[in-house]
Amino acid sequence: MAHQTNTASGPVDLLQQLVTWLMVQGWTCNMSQSEGNGWRAHLSKNGVYVNLRALVGEHKFFHACPEGYTFRGISLYVGTGYDGGAAWVSQPGGPVELGTAYTIGAMLGLPSGAIPSYHFLDDGADNITVIAEYSAGVYQHMGWGNLLKAGAFTGGAYFFASCDFRLGAATACAPCSDSSTTMDGFSSAYFRADVDSFTGKWLNMVGLENKTGKNARSPFCNYNARGSGIWTALPYYGLSADDRPFGFQSAQVSLQNNRITLLPARIFVDRDSYGVSLLGTVPGLFYTTATDHGFDKASELQIGSDSYLLFPDFAVKKVG
Amino acid sequence: MSWVQDTATDFTDLLVRLNDFLTGHGHSLPPIYTGTGTGTVSQVLGTATTVQETISVAFTSTTDFTVTGSVTGSMGTGTVDSAFTHAKVSFLVSAGGTAWASGDTISWVMTPHWESLRASAGEYIWRAPGNANISAIYVGAKTFSNDATDYYNWRLQGFTGYQAGQAFDSQPGAIPDAVPPCLPLWNASIPYWFFANGQRVIIVAKVSTSYEMAYLGFMDGMYMSPGEYPYPLMVGGSMSFASNNVPGATSISWRWSNTNSSQHANFWNSSFDSYNHASQSSGKWRLRLVSGIWSAFTNEVNTYNSTFRSPLIWPFAHGMTGLRTNLDGSYPMIPIIPFICDNLAANYNVYGEIGSIVHVTGDSNASENTVTLGRQVWLVVQNAYRTDSNQYCAVRMD
């Protein structure tokens, strides 16, 4: 497992530091160069191709947001290959917006000034998590890798980021600040899996919307990723909004011994006919309320020989 | 863990057989494998002379192994696919897809037999040694029946000690309610499964087409250390009633065929007696808290009480009506976790997960199936008479 923490002067510097660190972790850098006001990078390892773009007052590069909205952050999507002659947004095998031919993805939002701190984590199995401090105590995140699969299926790649990308919703195209920073619902996440008749494409878990043709589901309760009307189908961590204060997800610090429990990021998928199936879990990523119960943000929690970095609503395994 | 499967002639014979299983045998903890072979060890069962020790199987070839007890010393040699028998333990080592290799090992802990403190007239009280043989865990079961109404049941109890002169329900620390969790049975043949280690026993009894379950002993899989929670005693049954709704002695509500969903359900997915939602006495899953209170855990999000929220069972308290098999047809195993999230009394605790019982979907599944997860084998059991897909659990057998 690898971990690096530092500061960055802005999106381009953060991406450049990330590329350097990823190469140390064995990733092949297919391209890393200036583009527009920002920076473009394409890296790959063991069949996972990640496409990263630092945005400095630029358009998000994904289709849905109207021209005129500009962003500051790092956009990403994962694909199945690299084409040096293709535009950043046109690399092979990324998620495609339903009914169009446009690639869609997610974004880690960044502040206008320097980035107070960041964390890069690699779990040793090529699952990468990036956390950036947006402002004091407010964190944005993104990550990619391969699910710990439940059973066998074609696919398994995933990526997520804290900024949503909502088809046709202009207000959601505003730059992310702190409104989408919680990990508990994956503000924007995509999972590659062949499910029933849905093959060769990406599942999406982006609010209540169906962006790619099929939804993945999260059991976390504080976000709409679970999806309207389906949440009772799966082993849900919470309750409806009115009952949430006494739901399972709200109980994750025990008064008996003042210990933190960590909820795994299980991912489910809608089946064509009815119900949901478990796809797997996102490795090393957990829901926690630790920072609401006396633990400092970005501090370490030791459980046995494992340690975890704690952030608002989520924890990332650091050593295990 | 050690387990047996057989058929009892009736509800009293079942209790006699349980006593024999607990007091006549030592029991095992799950095995640990090293090396390249992918076979398994099964049918591990101790004897009345079993001592607390680690059993080590060391392969000397693809088919032969030696057996050593950490206390007993050399216990002889064995052969793959042939039962190994010794005065203190017996088991079967089977070959897997990848053959065993010299140097491969299997090891597991054996715990000594439980002590019978009372065994008379359909009433048993046992003291379990704990998985490290340093505990004294007191539980019991007692028959009660009515021929005219045709019910033949056990009442289940947990205690903090034993007093020879005290009645069953008056033992120290007993569940104080008029009706502790019960196991509804009948006076006819009962196929059964017993699963035991040093600290608890799980009972599955098939009555007609209904699967009744009980749990007696320390809760497996506590998230809290013994120092933080010294005596996590759990009593689980499949029938209970509110203290102000106890049926008369001749009521048919006591029968195994009672289909009142709030009165008859296996403890791991059960509710309060709907007659009185706030009655802790109607819980089928009782856990003795550090305070000494026998708290009831249910699947019922209870908003009937204005001063506290009742303890709950995840995931059953939060829905889960549509979980199917994994995409390849294998089965997801979801832990069962008792917790309290009482925002009214500011009481929050996640106690652990019953590591030996998980939820498994009933999609493409049925009771008495076995689910294999790596080298683990789990027995699928439905919730009493229910066969909806969210009404199944699996009990670990290895």
Side-chain angles (χ1 to χ4, degrees), chain B residues 90-284:
Chain B
S90 60
F91 56 86
L92 175 68
V93 172
S94 302
T98 299
W100 297 107
S102 179
D104 289 358
T105 67
I106 314 170
S107 62
W108 66 88
V109 171
M110 292 299 300
T111 60
H113 66 85
W114 295 28
E115 295 288 342
S116 178
L117 303 175
R118 179 176 296 175
S120 63
E123 181 176 333
Y124 290 82
I125 295 175
W126 300 285
R127 180 175 58 218
N131 285 340
N133 196 25
I134 56 173
S135 300
I137 304 163
Y138 297 89
V139 296
K142 180 180 180 180
T143 60
F144 67 106
S145 61
N146 185 287
D147 291 334
T149 312
D150 191 33
Y151 69 77
Y152 304 88
N153 299 348
W154 295 1
R155 58 193 293 139
L156 308 167
Q157 267 289 11
F159 316 108
T160 55
Y162 175 68
Q163 295 290 298
Q166 295 288 344
F168 184 74
D169 288 319
S170 300
Q171 292 293 321
I175 297 171
D177 305 310
V179 183
C182 298
L183 190 68
L185 302 167
W186 66 0
N187 197 29
S189 66
I190 303 171
Y192 68 86
W193 295 256
F194 298 149
F195 308 84
N197 59 26
Q199 66 177 18
R200 60 100 183 98
V201 61
I202 298 166
I203 300 155
V204 177
K206 185 178 182 182
V207 180
S208 183
T209 57
S210 186
Y211 291 80
E212 312 298 335
M213 288 183 67
Y215 188 111
L216 293 169
F218 279 0
M219 194 182 105
D220 287 336
M222 290 291 292
Y223 289 166
M224 300 172 187
S225 69
E228 295 162 344
Y229 203 131
Y231 201 70
L233 187 59
M234 177 178 157
V235 174
S238 56
M239 179 174 280
S240 66
F241 301 92
S243 56
N244 57 349
N245 190 39
V246 178
T250 58
S251 171
I252 60 171
S253 295
W254 290 110
R255 294 193 80 235
W256 63 271
S257 56
N258 179 349
T259 54
N260 182 317
S261 62
S262 70
Q263 296 171 349
H264 184 194
N266 287 340
F267 60 90
W268 45 269
N269 186 7
S270 61
S271 68
F272 289 115
D273 182 349
S274 61
Y275 186 83
N276 184 350
H277 292 274
S279 173
Q280 293 288 301
S281 68
S282 69
K284 294 146 196 76

Side-chain angles (χ1 to χ4, degrees), chain A residues 67-197:
Chain A
E67 295 292 343
Y69 287 92
T70 57
F71 302 93
R72 189 177 176 89
I74 297 178
S75 283
L76 86 156
Y77 67 97
V78 168
T80 56
Y82 168 67
D83 181 350
W88 180 84
V89 77
S90 301
Q91 296 299 308
V96 176
E97 182 185 325
L98 183 63
T100 77
Y102 295 108
T103 297
I104 54 178
M107 191 182 85
L108 174 147
L110 292 171
S112 57
I115 299 160
S117 69
Y118 71 76
H119 298 266
F120 301 153
L121 296 110
D122 178 350
D123 73 344
D126 303 331
N127 294 290
I128 307 297
T129 307
V130 175
I131 298 120
E133 190 172 9
Y134 187 93
S135 58
V138 176
Y139 296 86
Q140 296 266 342
H141 52 262
M142 68 178 183
W144 66 89
N146 280 291
L147 291 174
L148 288 173
K149 291 183 179 180
F153 59 87
T154 299
Y158 71 85
F159 70 92
F160 63 86
S162 49
C163 278
D164 196 355
F165 158 76
R166 298 201 176 195
L167 184 64
T171 54
C173 295
C176 284
S177 56
D178 59 356
S179 61
S180 302
T181 53
T182 58
M183 178 69 80
D184 58 358
F186 297 106
S187 292
S188 186
Y190 295 83
F191 305 90
R192 174 69 186 79
D194 286 359
V195 182
D196 300 325
S197 64

Side-chain angles (χ1 to χ4, degrees), chain A residues 150-153 193-195 231-239 243-257 259 261 266 268-269 271 273-279, chain B residues 223-225 228-229 290 301-303 309 312 314-315 317-328 330 332-335 337 339-343 346-351 359 363:
Chain A
F153 59 87
D194 286 359
V195 182
W231 64 272
T232 56
L234 50 85
Y236 187 43
Y237 289 153
L239 291 166
D243 295 338
R244 187 176 301 156
F246 45 98
F248 182 57
Q249 189 169 317
S250 302
Q252 299 303 316
V253 176
S254 292
L255 294 182
Q256 184 69 48
N257 58 1
R259 285 196 183 175
T261 44
R266 294 185 174 97
F268 299 83
V269 60
R271 301 299 298 269
S273 53
Y274 68 94
V276 296
S277 285
L278 178 64
L279 271 184
Chain B
Y223 289 166
M224 300 172 187
S225 69
E228 295 162 344
Y229 203 131
V290 172
V301 177
N302 190 338
T303 56
R309 301 296 189 199
L312 296 169
W314 187 84
H318 292 352
M320 198 187 58
T321 57
L323 183 62
R324 301 183 58 188
T325 62
N326 298 328
L327 296 177
D328 64 351
S330 59
M333 311 290 260
I334 306 296
I337 299 174
F339 72 100
I340 292 177
C341 187
D342 183 354
N343 61 315
N347 183 17
Y348 304 92
N349 280 295
V350 181
Y351 291 101
H359 166 66
D363 177 33

